[in-house]
Amino acid sequence: MSTDLLQRLCKGFCAIAQIATPELHAQDDGVIAFNIVWRGVSVDIMAKPSASADHAFALFELGQPNPTQADPARALLALMHINFLSLRVNQPVFSCHPGTNAAVLQVPVPLDSTPALLHRMIEEGVHLALQWREGLLMPQLDAEPDPAPADAMHGSFA
């Protein structure tokens, strides 16, 4: 993994976004990262050489499920369903931060991307995070959960 590639992406993104470019430093575990808050959404861009030599990862903090809009467990389950239905190489995935239980969107970022592509990807991730916060991605409280097909419970898929 080239620190220079991540630095180039960071500097180019910050120029497009018209924000100050942070200085990148490697942590003891080899992770190199920078953080921005874009339209109220915290976004971490990190390169972790042990995970991928040619990709960085963007982490968008979506926040806690709003219990007035949906049961938090059902809301997180809905995100897992989205992961299942979006099968493709290097897809964005939803997860749950182990320290805060906040929903997180994780997106792989090829280090050979252009700053313009990184900017567009961050815009799209932030837009999705704002939709989550507005409750647009959550199941409704009064909706009954879909029962799982019997075959799916036993690992049989057609």
Side-chain angles (χ1 to χ4, degrees), residues 8-19 34 36 38 115-116 118-120 122-123:
R8 179 188 59 80
L9 278 177
C10 175
K11 185 177 179 179
F13 167 81
C14 291
I16 292 168
Q18 299 180 356
I19 59 176
F34 69 95
I36 61 166
W38 194 254
L118 177 62
H119 183 265
R120 185 174 65 205
I122 289 175
E123 281 288 336

Side-chain angles (χ1 to χ4, degrees), residues 2 4 10 15 24 28 34 37-39 41 50 65 75 77 81 86 94 103 108 116-117 132-133 137 140 142 155:
S2 172
D4 294 338
C10 175
L24 304 180
D28 291 340
F34 69 95
V37 176
W38 194 254
R39 296 180 17 210
V41 176
S50 63
L77 184 61
H81 287 179
S86 306
F94 293 100
L117 285 174
W132 164 263
R133 292 177 183 180
L137 300 179
Q140 298 303 310
D142 56 355

Side-chain angles (χ1 to χ4, degrees), residues 45-61:
I45 308 293
M46 63 172 38
K48 185 175 182 181
S50 63
S52 177
D54 55 359
H55 282 78
F57 302 91
L59 307 175
F60 297 85
E61 184 179 325

Side-chain angles (χ1 to χ4, degrees), residues 1-3 5-6 9 30-33 44-58 89-92 106-113 118 121:
M1 191 271 317
S2 172
T3 304
L5 290 174
L6 184 61
L9 278 177
V31 171
I32 302 166
D44 296 312
I45 308 293
M46 63 172 38
K48 185 175 182 181
S50 63
S52 177
D54 55 359
H55 282 78
F57 302 91
V89 174
N90 293 326
Q91 74 178 25
Q106 299 173 300
V107 181
V109 179
L111 286 170
D112 63 358
S113 294
L118 177 62
M121 186 268 310

